[in-house]
Amino acid sequence: MDHEALALEMRGLREQVTGITDTAVAASDGLLIASDTADSIDPEGLAALAAAGLGLARRTAQATARGALRQTVTYGSHGCAAFYAVGDTALMVVLGDEGIDVDRLHRATAPALDRIGSILRHKTAEGV
């Protein structure tokens, strides 16, 4: 697994979008793959919750014939949590503060998701 490449993608996204506070990549079953989170965030717990939330959103999209799920965003009084599908086997979660531009986040995240998917597929192809 190229953890450095994943870390570079997460840091690059944070540099592109003002307001990103934390990021993590997880398998769809909720196992943490990589994280760039503050000490106040439990990255393993975040990965598990994100996988559960994305799983429900994915099933909702299928049940309502909306097609393949791409993303879901949860808004709170102190910011948002955006969950992105990385193919069928992984996800990325991005936490943002109150000032984050979510449209900008979605635009910047699309190419990063492609690169993260490629990194994860490379790991799978090697059997690592």
Side-chain angles (χ1 to χ4, degrees), residues 9 85-87 92 108-121:
E9 288 299 332
V86 181
M92 183 171 73
T109 301
L113 292 172
D114 289 339
R115 291 187 298 269
I116 289 168
S118 180
I119 293 165
L120 296 175
R121 281 189 303 276

Side-chain angles (χ1 to χ4, degrees), residues 11-88:
R11 279 194 306 268
L13 191 60
R14 190 184 287 228
E15 291 169 2
Q16 289 179 46
V17 182
T18 302
I20 291 177
T21 59
D22 307 273
T23 58
V25 174
S28 352
D29 63 3
L31 293 177
L32 182 67
I33 296 172
S35 68
D36 179 20
T37 57
D39 290 340
S40 61
I41 301 290
D42 169 22
E44 288 86 9
L46 177 62
L49 288 169
L54 197 66
L56 287 172
R58 184 174 273 139
R59 288 185 11 212
T60 301
Q62 290 171 346
T64 58
R66 301 296 102 181
L69 180 74
R70 293 181 296 200
Q71 68 207 22
T72 185
V73 181
T74 301
Y75 295 92
S77 59
H78 299 293
C80 69
F83 308 97
Y84 298 92
V86 181
D88 292 330

